[in-house]
């Protein structure tokens, strides 16, 4: 089945130690998104790639970066994680960024910062 | 962005229809209504979306009022597996060509399906 895969499902890192979260998709979609969801809150968009075009949300901290080496993979890099970055990180994809195109989410990676 | 208002929680008996309301009185003509749900500790799951007409798929039905200011998601025969937070989202575009649209999640409705 075509799907969005996130690895690992749980990630533990230390305060200030860089961490990378991975997302892959078999849907061959052009757009990949990263959302952050803190405990008891709704998901919040960090940024997205439309093909190789990177689009950052205005309020996304500089501590968060992303890479998309090819259509199938996208990475979320947190350069210096703080305790406030502990959250569920969700990857989503869509065929294109149009209003009528649903986004399909992966299972998420839960990040714990010690 | 058009805002949505949903009841914080609802209960539904298993086997009965679950009708989840959503108000979006400031919606504009080209903005879509999307419904997602999130089961505890999982990623959001796409359910259905619509612009003006009512929509139905294998999961649910979406009823949009004629003035588009509100909508109802209908799960025809709720099961325990339908217990989740349901998000009604009005999807807007940040560009004139309709690209770069994003999902802005609200607080959602926590649906509890009971025996």
């Amino acid at each position: 089945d075509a799907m969005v895969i996130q690895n690992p499902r749980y990630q533990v890192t230390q305060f200030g130690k860089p961490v990378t979260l991975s997302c892959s998709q078999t849907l061959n979609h052009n757009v990949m998104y990263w959302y952050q969801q803190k405990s008891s809150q709704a998901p919040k968009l960090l940024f997205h790639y439309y093909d190789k075009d990177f689009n950052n949300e205005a309020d996304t901290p500089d501590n968060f970066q992303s890479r998309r080496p090819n259509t199938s993979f996208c990475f979320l890099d947190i350069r210096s994680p703080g305790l406030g970055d502990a959250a569920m990180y969700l990857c989503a994809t869509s065929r294109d960024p149009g209003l009528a195109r649903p986004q399909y989410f992966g299972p998420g990676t839960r990040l714990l910062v010690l | 962005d058009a805002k949505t208002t949903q009841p914080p929680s609802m209960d539904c008996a298993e086997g009965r229809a679950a009708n989840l309301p959503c108000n979006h009185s400031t919606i504009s003509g080209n903005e879509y209504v999307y419904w997602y749900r999130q089961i505890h500790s999982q990623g959001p799951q796409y359910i259905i979306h619509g612009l003006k007409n009512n929509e139905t798929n294998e999961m649910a039905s979406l009823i949009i009022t004629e003035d588009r200011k509100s909508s109802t998601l209908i799960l025809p025969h709720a099961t325990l597996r339908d217990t989740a937070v349901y998000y009604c989202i009005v999807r807007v575009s940040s560009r004139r060509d309709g690209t770069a649209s994003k999902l802005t999640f609200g607080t959602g409705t926590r649906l509890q399906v009971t025996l």
Side-chain angles (χ1 to χ4, degrees):
Chain A
D1 287 343
M3 55 198 305
V4 182
I5 303 160
Q6 291 188 247
N7 286 308
R9 293 295 309 278
Y10 298 90
Q11 176 74 54
V12 181
T13 190
Q14 294 177 341
F15 183 93
K17 184 175 181 180
V19 65
T20 295
L21 307 182
S22 301
C23 177
S24 64
Q25 52 125 345
T26 61
L27 297 161
N28 201 33
H29 282 175
N30 294 316
V31 191
M32 296 186 76
Y33 307 80
W34 280 103
Y35 288 79
Q36 178 192 60
Q37 185 175 25
K38 295 187 177 181
S39 181
S40 300
Q41 296 183 19
K44 182 174 179 295
L45 182 66
L46 295 173
F47 29 57
H48 75 275
Y49 270 97
Y50 181 13
D51 291 330
K52 296 182 179 180
D53 183 22
F54 178 71
N55 298 273
N56 201 26
E57 291 298 298
D59 55 355
T60 298
D62 293 340
N63 198 26
F64 292 86
Q65 304 286 323
S66 186
R67 295 171 285 134
R68 188 179 186 187
N70 54 52
T71 300
S72 300
F73 286 86
C74 195
F75 301 99
L76 170 61
D77 301 309
I78 308 176
R79 293 192 293 188
S80 182
L83 298 179
D85 296 327
M88 171 84 87
Y89 290 88
L90 296 159
C91 175
T93 74
S94 64
R95 184 180 299 277
D96 59 57
L99 287 171
R101 291 294 190 188
Q103 294 180 19
Y104 297 96
F105 285 80
T109 294
R110 187 169 296 279
L111 179 68
L112 180 63
V113 182
L114 301 178
Chain B
D1 289 0
K3 294 184 178 179
T4 61
T5 304
Q6 300 178 253
S9 63
M10 293 182 63
D11 292 331
C12 179
E14 190 177 33
R16 304 296 293 269
N19 297 282
L20 292 91
C22 180
N23 286 324
H24 31 78
S25 58
T26 60
I27 194 170
S28 297
N30 65 339
E31 293 170 352
Y32 283 74
V33 178
Y34 275 77
W35 283 84
Y36 281 79
R37 71 181 182 185
Q38 189 170 26
I39 296 169
H40 183 61
S41 296
Q42 298 183 21
Q45 180 187 21
Y46 165 74
I47 301 173
I48 199 166
H49 73 282
L51 181 62
K52 297 179 181 177
N53 300 321
N54 298 335
E55 302 287 345
T56 296
N57 63 21
E58 65 278 4
M59 288 184 68
S61 294
L62 173 60
I63 308 299
I64 302 174
T65 58
E66 192 169 345
D67 63 7
R68 304 213 317 127
K69 292 185 177 181
S70 66
S71 60
T72 301
L73 178 74
I74 301 172
L75 306 178
H77 304 287
T79 71
L80 297 178
R81 292 183 179 182
D82 293 322
T83 293
V85 177
Y86 286 77
Y87 294 101
C88 170
I89 301 165
V90 172
R91 192 168 180 190
V92 301
S93 174
S94 59
R95 295 181 183 173
R96 290 188 177 187
D97 60 3
T99 60
S101 63
K102 65 179 182 181
L103 295 171
T104 303
F105 288 80
T107 53
T109 295
R110 185 172 298 277
L111 176 68
Q112 180 69 51
V113 180
T114 57
L115 291 172

